[in-house]
Amino acid sequence: MSRNDSKYFSTTKKGEIPELKEELNSQYKDKRKDAVKKVIAAMTVGKDVSSLFTDVVNCMQTENLELKKLVYLYLINYAKSQPDLAILAVNTFVKDSQDPNPLIRALAVRTMGCIRVDKITEYLCDPLQRCLKDDDPYVRKTAAICVAKLYDINAELVEDRGFLESLKDLISDNNPMVVANAVAALAEIQENSTRPIFEITVPTLSKLLTALNECTEWGQVFILDALSRYKAADAREAENIVERVTPRLQHANCAVVLSAVKMILQQMELITSTDVVRNLFKKMAPPLVTLLSAEPEIQYVALRNINLIVQRRPTILAHEIKVFFCKYNDPIYVKMEKLEIMIKLASDRNIDQVLLEFKEYATEVDVDFVRKAVRAIGRCAIKLERAAERCISVLLELIKIKVNYVVQEAIIVIKDIFRRYPNTYESIIATLCENLDTLDEPEAKASMIWIIGEYAERIDNADELLESFLESFPEEPAQVQLQLLTATVKLFLKKPTEGPQQMIQVVLNNATVETDNPDLRDRAYIYWRLLSTDPEAAKDVVLAEKPVITDDSNQLEPSLLDELLANIATLSSVYHKPPEAFVTRVLSSAQRTEEDDPEGSETGYFESSANPANGVTSPPAARQSTPASTISAPATPPSAALVPDLLGDLIGMDSNSIVPLDQPATPTGPPLPILVPASTGQGLQISAQLIRRDGQIFYSLLFENTTQVPLDGFMIQFNKNTFGLAAAGALQVAQIQPGTSARTLLPMVTFQNMSQGPPSSLLQIAVKNNQQPVQYFNDKFSLHVFFSEDGRMERSSFLETWRSLPDSNEVSKDFPTIVLSTAEATLDRLAASNMFFIAKRKNANQDVFYFSAKLPRGIPFLTELTTAIGNPGVKCAIKTPNPEMSSLFFEAVETLLMG
């Protein structure tokens, strides 16, 4: 459409479809053309114009190329929803594929390839076969891409009709664009195939290198990517290939440059001559530097790729470090990447100018960038031993600025420097201790506490410094508490005087009795046992020599780095992740055909659980708090198998992802409510209830077979629901003989299949077996099943959270008939469902109890229960960030209080 065609998008008339139908069947060519433009405009803005399919197809018989393109565009969009009508266009496609005009021939075969309808596929073969051998190169290059599209629809057909051989023949074509498209098509087919299809041989290599010089820029990218997978036979061949590819480094398109760099790096692994490698480094550096003068988005992509390159070949850009100095107007994401590369390129030769840059960055206004710059100084100190003293001098200068976040970040990196160079730079500890009052971040506090504990014997007032931190021990984050515990033990072992002895008693008592953090409590018990039984063994454990930390600037594993370098100029090199980590491979048509149910029966909705899929990990189970009087190792999680989800879209559900299956626990428990009586379940009675056990949610099911035949092959599916509850795998139910029953626990996962709209406790469920049709039924869950084991809050935290929530988030409800006989029984019943008692107070003649509970994803519910023990009437008030959940919460509380 031209610029003047915007008028077709502005119509607001009613009854437009009948008018368009009339115009499409007009005897005037211009009127028909205008009508098709209006249809395309309506289609573009989302209107359904599929009812005009036949009328639009009738306009295909035209010599007007623009009109033909518009009709083909319409066909591509609607052919899948109208496959039977799409066949009406086949004769025109076949006729157009033999048109004298090469543009029309190419357009016809391209459109047929884009119409992904199986019924049309068989008609495409003959025109495609002709177009692959067409006299015009434009038609041949279009047909080459069409083969890849056809392979995705029907791989077996492509192989049977010899299209793969025709594609390979096109690599010898005299037109470079045809060669490039043939390479692109073969590469795409190879991606979707498990067997070798596209292998570059020596004759093929020569043809690709010849075509490389005459291709368009994207054709060059396709060929270079294909060549990067070629393994040269020896160093001489590798040098010859690199020599032919090197001119591509001067290309204006950055994609071509990066693809050439990738290809050269791959071949350099075989080149043994140091002179050749050195010359290649000189040739590769300027193009990489040039990429940094492009717009910020391209800079970022280039920097992410350069980050990988310098980890393998740092000498390429060793003399170009100045180009990575940050400019004032660089976006923050570019600055951060430049910092990473500067750390990797820092050496004894350039460290002075690098430190000057870092010091300047540490005075900028962007806090995140400043922190990164300060941390970069510390990483340089760890990387370069001879420059460590200069790095520390710069850090001390920054500390003197007295900017809070700079000081804290400096202390964090100095702790790492102490680990890297023990007993070398301890003279600066006094300067660090002057800044204790400014520390308010957990990592900085933990670092300073580590320093005090590690060098307690050299700090005269180490006990006073640690004592200042101990005053707020219960409120500190876990990271700080763990360091305080260890530092106090170190102080006691190094200075076993009265002051440290009292401190260690206080700390151990807090860490074992007052806390609910199992890691802290376990470590405290271990220290307590060591100190009380064998102080010398405690010294050997706590004061043992620590391993020296190493430079982490090249943090990628060699094997991962190899894979990422092989994927330079792709998303993989930007994410720094292998492709399989973020790309889900779609099954090719050949694989799909093998897995389809040949019978086409109702069981076609189900897949066998005998072929587990790979690539999904089981969600971590919630860890239950360890009682304060015991020390126990965390339980080993059950092994998980992976099975396909089963019921597909059988009842309008779209949860057909692959989910993990935990081994089912032994099914036990009280009687379950009957959800499907035998009278309505055709002899199958289903009882079920959602339960929580050991931090895991299960669906407990009881199947009773009152029919005359054995029942097996049980499968289950949950519809979308408020918490996204879904089965964590298939039902593990053995065959149920007539007159017998079977009980099972089905592990559940949350947030897999979430519904929109207001929260609801309703579950819609479908169950099927091999002998009976699907049984649909509803179940209602109680919200307390979702209360997590880590919902207990400290009193101070409870108060702070209550005050921080607005009054509008407070909701209350009266339960006038409920009577609480004893407070102790109520507290025990609520605690068993993870509603934790916080505090109690008197209000006139009533008791007021406070509880905390937590839903998945950390949603707290703060509860106030007011009642007169032994008398009817309970008032429940809650505060939560999600007040829309209050009705479900009140239902759960009512259920729990009634016992």
Side-chain angles (χ1 to χ4, degrees):
M1 287 188 171
S2 66
R3 196 175 295 176
N4 298 324
D5 290 335
S6 59
K7 61 186 178 183
Y8 297 111
F9 291 87
S10 59
T11 178
T12 56
K13 291 189 296 183
K14 294 183 178 179
E16 192 178 1
I17 298 294
E19 289 183 17
L20 287 173
K21 194 178 188 74
E22 185 180 336
E23 290 178 22
L24 287 168
N25 292 295
S26 171
Q27 58 181 331
Y28 302 108
K29 292 181 181 179
D30 291 342
K31 204 165 186 179
R32 287 202 302 272
K33 184 176 174 182
D34 279 355
V36 173
K37 287 186 176 182
K38 289 176 185 177
V39 170
I40 297 296
M43 181 183 80
T44 305
V45 298
K47 293 180 182 176
D48 182 12
V49 287
S50 58
S51 58
L52 299 171
F53 195 94
T54 308
D55 305 286
V56 175
V57 169
N58 288 337
C59 297
M60 285 178 71
Q61 303 287 348
T62 177
E63 298 299 321
N64 187 305
L65 186 58
E66 183 184 6
L67 178 56
K68 195 177 283 287
K69 284 182 177 179
L70 291 171
V71 174
Y72 281 1
L73 183 62
Y74 176 91
L75 275 171
I76 290 170
N77 197 54
Y78 281 114
K80 202 160 190 178
S81 61
Q82 306 271 4
D84 296 326
L85 292 176
I87 296 179
L88 297 175
V90 165
N91 287 334
T92 307
F93 281 131
V94 174
K95 180 183 173 185
D96 284 354
S97 69
Q98 301 175 51
D99 195 276
N101 186 339
L103 292 177
I104 292 179
R105 297 201 299 275
L107 182 62
V109 78
R110 177 193 292 129
T111 307
M112 286 184 82
C114 291
I115 296 176
R116 304 177 63 81
V117 175
D118 289 335
K119 294 180 179 178
I120 289 183
T121 303
E122 56 188 279
Y123 298 103
L124 172 61
C125 294
D126 290 336
L128 183 57
Q129 198 78 263
R130 284 194 301 272
C131 290
L132 283 168
K133 297 175 181 176
D134 198 278
D135 294 336
D136 193 282
Y138 181 77
V139 180
R140 294 199 301 276
K141 81 180 184 68
T142 305
I145 296 297
C146 191
V147 173
K149 294 181 183 295
L150 182 59
Y151 186 89
D152 191 46
I153 301 169
N154 192 334
E156 191 176 342
L157 181 65
V158 169
E159 294 179 18
D160 291 346
R161 294 296 293 264
F163 286 122
L164 292 180
E165 297 307 316
S166 300
L167 264 187
K168 291 173 185 175
D169 292 341
L170 289 182
I171 293 178
S172 305
D173 199 278
N174 56 8
N175 185 286
M177 269 315 300
V178 176
V179 176
N181 278 21
V183 168
L186 284 168
E188 185 177 332
I189 291 170
Q190 182 65 77
E191 287 288 323
N192 294 323
S193 177
T194 54
R195 61 186 185 82
I197 287 176
F198 181 35
E199 293 179 332
I200 299 178
T201 60
V202 175
T204 308
L205 175 70
S206 176
K207 293 167 186 171
L208 293 182
L209 288 170
T210 302
L212 187 62
N213 298 321
E214 302 170 29
C215 276
T216 64
E217 50 195 4
W218 297 111
Q220 292 179 35
V221 170
F222 290 138
I223 292 176
L224 287 168
D225 285 346
L227 289 174
S228 67
R229 291 190 285 272
Y230 176 73
K231 303 295 181 188
D234 51 33
R236 178 183 290 276
E237 186 183 17
E239 287 178 32
N240 290 337
I241 294 170
V242 167
E243 187 178 351
R244 301 277 295 274
V245 171
T246 303
R248 301 301 105 211
L249 293 171
Q250 312 303 322
H251 203 283
N253 187 319
C254 53
V256 176
V257 173
L258 285 174
S259 293
V261 167
K262 169 172 66 178
M263 199 265 177
I264 292 170
L265 285 172
Q266 296 292 92
Q267 300 301 332
M268 277 174 62
E269 299 295 329
L270 292 169
I271 298 176
T272 53
S273 169
T274 53
D275 290 338
V276 173
V277 171
R278 194 181 304 113
N279 287 332
L280 284 174
F281 285 173
K282 289 179 181 176
K283 291 177 180 177
M284 289 168 70
L288 291 172
V289 169
T290 303
L291 294 177
L292 300 181
S293 59
E295 51 266 32
E297 293 79 7
I298 291 179
Q299 281 189 56
Y300 178 75
V301 172
L303 288 165
R304 294 292 282 175
N305 282 274
I306 289 170
N307 193 322
L308 297 172
I309 292 167
V310 297
Q311 288 187 54
R312 176 55 53 84
R313 304 279 185 176
T315 46
I316 292 179
L317 294 164
H319 301 289
E320 307 288 349
I321 195 166
K322 283 188 177 180
V323 302
F324 299 105
F325 288 177
C326 299
K327 299 173 185 173
Y328 75 94
N329 58 348
D330 278 340
I332 185 64
Y333 56 87
V334 170
K335 287 181 177 180
M336 293 294 197
E337 285 305 312
K338 285 185 173 180
L339 273 183
E340 281 294 324
I341 294 172
M342 287 167 68
I343 295 168
K344 290 178 172 62
L345 294 179
S347 64
D348 293 327
R349 187 176 58 255
N350 60 26
I351 188 63
D352 288 328
Q353 59 184 150
V354 169
L355 286 176
L356 279 173
E357 281 292 309
F358 287 164
K359 185 178 176 183
E360 187 177 337
Y361 302 158
T363 59
E364 293 213 9
V365 293
D366 190 303
V367 176
D368 289 336
F369 183 52
V370 169
R371 289 178 186 277
K372 188 93 169 178
V374 175
R375 197 157 288 208
I377 297 170
R379 289 172 63 184
C380 286
I382 292 168
K383 178 183 177 182
L384 306 169
E385 185 172 355
R386 284 188 285 183
E389 193 166 344
R390 280 172 282 175
C391 294
I392 287 177
S393 298
V394 173
L395 288 171
L396 290 175
E397 289 176 36
L398 293 173
I399 288 175
K400 289 174 186 174
I401 299 174
K402 298 291 184 184
V403 176
N404 181 275
Y405 51 85
V406 174
V407 171
Q408 302 201 76
E409 204 66 34
I411 288 173
I412 292 169
V413 299
I414 287 173
K415 181 259 292 182
D416 291 336
I417 294 172
F418 284 168
R419 287 284 309 275
R420 175 71 175 85
Y421 308 108
N423 304 314
T424 307
Y425 300 108
E426 285 72 24
S427 57
I428 66 171
I429 292 176
T431 307
L432 302 182
C433 291
E434 294 171 6
N435 297 278
L436 286 182
D437 295 338
T438 64
L439 304 182
D440 56 17
E441 295 174 9
E443 192 176 1
K445 277 187 180 181
S447 298
M448 192 67 226
I449 291 165
W450 181 89
I451 292 170
I452 295 170
E454 189 68 16
Y455 299 101
E457 72 277 13
R458 303 189 189 187
I459 304 173
D460 295 335
N461 61 338
D463 50 348
E464 294 175 16
L465 297 176
L466 283 181
E467 202 162 5
S468 65
F469 288 106
L470 287 174
E471 293 170 2
S472 57
F473 183 89
E475 289 78 38
E476 295 290 357
Q479 181 182 11
V480 177
Q481 288 179 330
L482 286 165
Q483 281 296 354
L484 265 174
L485 172 62
T486 303
T488 309
V489 174
K490 286 180 182 175
L491 174 66
F492 174 72
L493 292 172
K494 292 178 178 181
K495 295 181 178 179
T497 56
E498 185 179 349
Q501 195 164 356
Q502 291 176 347
M503 287 170 60
I504 195 69
Q505 288 291 339
V506 173
V507 171
L508 289 174
N509 186 62
N510 277 332
T512 54
V513 178
E514 301 295 329
T515 182
D516 60 354
N517 183 330
D519 293 332
L520 178 64
R521 193 164 55 238
D522 289 355
R523 187 184 293 187
Y525 275 124
I526 291 169
Y527 285 155
W528 202 327
R529 184 65 57 85
L530 278 170
L531 292 171
S532 59
T533 56
D534 192 347
E536 288 305 314
K539 282 187 178 182
D540 292 339
V541 171
V542 180
L543 304 180
E545 188 173 340
K546 293 162 190 61
V548 174
I549 63 173
T550 55
D551 169 34
D552 66 344
S553 55
N554 295 330
Q555 66 269 39
L556 293 177
E557 291 288 330
S559 57
L560 175 59
L561 183 59
D562 288 339
E563 187 172 0
L564 295 180
L565 286 170
N567 285 288
I568 279 180
T570 67
L571 275 179
S572 182
S573 65
V574 177
Y575 291 155
H576 287 190
K577 293 180 180 179
E580 59 270 16
F582 59 91
V583 175
T584 303
R585 290 265 179 244
V586 179
L587 294 177
S588 71
S589 58
Q591 293 167 302
R592 284 197 297 266
T593 304
E594 291 170 10
E595 295 182 8
D596 282 344
D597 181 10
E599 301 299 324
S601 64
E602 189 177 14
T603 56
Y605 288 103
F606 299 81
E607 294 178 21
S608 168
S609 62
N611 299 316
N614 295 323
V616 182
T617 57
S618 178
R623 184 177 176 182
Q624 196 169 10
S625 296
T626 312
S629 58
T630 61
I631 304 174
S632 61
T636 305
S639 60
L642 300 178
V643 299
D645 197 8
L646 295 176
L647 279 179
D649 287 336
L650 198 58
I651 57 172
M653 309 171 188
D654 61 0
S655 174
N656 49 11
S657 58
I658 303 302
V659 290
L661 168 62
D662 291 310
Q663 296 298 324
T666 305
T668 58
L672 300 174
I674 298 172
L675 302 180
V676 181
S679 57
T680 59
Q682 299 186 21
L684 173 66
Q685 181 165 293
I686 303 174
S687 307
Q689 188 173 37
L690 203 64
I691 65 170
R692 188 179 191 90
R693 182 176 294 180
D694 299 328
Q696 168 80 31
I697 297 175
F698 295 91
Y699 200 51
S700 182
L701 292 125
L702 174 65
F703 297 100
E704 297 177 68
N705 182 5
T706 63
T707 69
Q708 302 302 312
V709 295
L711 302 179
D712 59 17
F714 282 85
M715 288 162 273
I716 191 167
Q717 178 69 55
F718 293 80
N719 204 354
K720 292 182 177 180
N721 54 80
T722 295
F723 284 94
L725 275 170
L731 276 176
Q732 303 293 304
V733 181
Q735 187 180 68
I736 308 175
Q737 295 298 325
T740 64
S741 63
R743 189 162 179 170
T744 185
L745 282 183
L746 175 67
M748 303 291 287
V749 290
T750 52
F751 306 114
Q752 295 280 318
N753 192 22
M754 297 183 69
S755 63
Q756 303 300 317
S760 169
S761 60
L762 185 69
L763 284 179
Q764 295 176 317
I765 306 158
V767 168
K768 188 183 186 300
N769 59 60
N770 288 341
Q771 289 74 31
Q772 296 177 317
V774 180
Q775 299 286 344
Y776 303 107
F777 58 94
N778 294 337
D779 190 7
K780 288 196 74 171
F781 61 79
S782 178
L783 192 67
H784 73 263
V785 173
F786 295 90
F787 293 169
S788 58
E789 285 69 17
D790 62 348
R792 187 189 300 275
M793 299 175 74
E794 300 293 339
R795 294 187 186 186
S796 56
S797 178
F798 183 94
L799 283 170
E800 185 181 341
T801 307
W802 186 282
R803 290 174 186 142
S804 66
L805 291 170
D807 292 339
S808 58
N809 282 33
E810 184 173 347
V811 190
S812 62
K813 184 175 181 179
D814 290 319
F815 303 107
T817 60
I818 293 179
V819 180
L820 302 186
S821 54
T822 65
E824 291 75 13
T826 301
L827 297 183
D828 290 344
R829 192 158 60 246
L830 295 179
S833 294
N834 296 328
M835 273 189 72
F836 299 101
F837 174 68
I838 303 295
K840 172 187 173 184
R841 68 180 176 88
K842 277 283 186 182
N843 181 19
N845 63 337
Q846 291 185 310
D847 292 313
V848 183
F849 300 88
Y850 294 92
F851 300 88
S852 68
K854 188 187 288 184
L855 288 180
R857 296 188 173 174
I859 302 171
F861 277 80
L862 313 184
T863 309
E864 178 187 78
L865 290 181
T866 306
T867 186
I869 298 295
N871 295 320
V874 176
K875 181 179 180 181
C876 177
I878 61 169
K879 258 195 174 185
T880 175
N882 288 58
E884 62 272 13
M885 285 277 187
S886 57
S887 60
L888 297 188
F889 188 84
F890 288 135
E891 288 176 11
V893 170
E894 185 176 15
T895 303
L896 293 173
L897 293 180
M898 293 176 68

